[in-house]
Amino acid sequence: MERKTCRVVRQTELSPDIYKLELEADSLSGLSRSGQFVHIRVREGNDPLLRRPFSIHDADPDKGTLEILYRVVGSGTALMCNAVPGDSMDLIGPLGNGFQTGRKRPRVLIVAGGMGIAPVPLLVRELIRDGKKVDLLWGVRCETEFFDLNMNGVRTQRVCEEGSGIPEGLVTDLLEKKLPECFPGNQWEGFVCGPVAMLARVSEMIAAHDFPWQVSMEERMACGIGVCMGCAAETKSGEFRMVCSEGPVFDLKEMVLNG
Ligand SMILES: Cc1cc2nc3c(=O)[nH]c(=O)nc-3n(C[C@H](O)[C@H](O)[C@H](O)COP(=O)(O)OP(=O)(O)OC[C@H]3O[C@@H](n4cnc5c(N)ncnc54)[C@H](O)[C@@H]3O)c2cc1C
Ligand code: FES
């Protein structure tokens, strides 16, 4: 983990309220693994007081850059989207455990909903580098939320709640059709990221299947390093885990998800 002042290289509006931010992050990019996150001070000074957490969308150690994909939802992200090339941002990271990609399972199913797509490109790159065959189910609310994420070699099925020309529905509808194909189960593993209601539904659907699923969880965060206990998530055994320091990636079957 490092603390770094990073220069904004580029800021791109991909669709209304969704931005890709490219930062010059030097050594931080080489340290980053998929599923980890950075904690960003969105501007200098004490307003807002707290940093904001964002998944590492992509990292290029050769160029020394790091990318964040984010949606504007409140005051912090509204400030972030005004940043222009040459501005600086204070980052702490990479934080969190990240996805485990080393399992000896050749087939991978990724389920992403909404901004849950943010950590997927780096995850896909790691999986494909390890020779795995990857299927992605990607669901969004509105078709403008689909953009080209440059994920070569992945078989992607898309679905959207309201749109034209793209199948309508929920990403869990795609999962319902896909799960019976994931056979034999000992060849497969799954990854899921997205809003909590979707995670809860996926958790129910995969309960009867015997392959492992990792979930990337989101909680509101303050310190980001396991000190303030502000990001506790409950497990089915009744214990609490800190999403920032023990997560954000957990075994999906262990977590309590109230969608
Ligand atoms: C580990 C982690 C990784 C994340 N990665 C991404 C990412 O890659 N891209 C992205 O767009 N967002 C991501 N988020 C969510 C992002 O941190 C929040 O959207 C951001 O902090 C909102 O800041 P704000 O000041 O704009 O909104 P605020 O003014 O703080 O809040 C606006 C609204 O968003 C809700 N909100 C804020 N933070 C969260 C949260 N953590 N979980 C659920 N609801 C929240 C608030 O309840 C409120 O309704 C991630 C969160 C975590 C914990
Ligand atoms: S945000 Fe402080 S313990 Fe996780």
Side-chain angles (χ1 to χ4, degrees), residues 150-223:
N150 198 15
M151 291 187 288
N152 295 330
V154 181
R155 203 163 66 166
T156 304
Q157 287 179 64
R158 300 185 303 168
V159 74
C160 138
E161 286 175 47
E162 36 190 82
S164 56
I166 291 171
E168 265 189 45
L170 300 172
V171 73
T172 45
D173 301 335
L174 293 179
L175 181 62
E176 196 157 13
K177 288 196 198 110
K178 183 74 190 173
L179 274 176
E181 286 175 34
C182 299
F183 186 82
N186 64 6
Q187 300 287 298
W188 288 82
E189 65 177 320
F191 295 84
V192 59
C193 330
V196 71
M198 180 205 116
L199 300 180
R201 180 73 190 114
V202 172
S203 179
E204 282 168 19
M205 292 171 76
I206 57 96
H209 291 256
D210 63 355
F211 58 91
W213 281 82
Q214 295 175 54
V215 58
S216 177
M217 306 259 301
E218 286 191 13
E219 284 290 339
R220 299 218 67 178
M221 287 185 181
C223 72

Side-chain angles (χ1 to χ4, degrees), residues 47-73:
D47 181 23
L49 184 62
L50 298 176
R51 291 172 181 271
R52 301 296 196 259
F54 296 93
S55 303
I56 296 169
H57 175 62
D58 215 344
D60 185 336
D62 295 333
K63 287 201 292 175
T65 55
L66 205 74
E67 287 179 358
I68 309 296
L69 182 78
Y70 68 97
R71 188 195 295 275
V72 175
V73 294

Side-chain angles (χ1 to χ4, degrees), residues 221-231 242 244:
M221 287 185 181
C223 72
I225 51 170
V227 176
C228 72
M229 317 282 268
C231 63
M242 296 310 130
C244 64

Side-chain angles (χ1 to χ4, degrees), residues 16-35:
D17 286 339
I18 300 181
Y19 291 80
K20 187 162 78 172
L21 176 67
E22 189 181 342
L23 295 159
E24 208 173 74
D26 303 321
S27 50
L28 219 147
S29 57
L31 298 172
S32 301
R33 285 181 295 108
S34 68

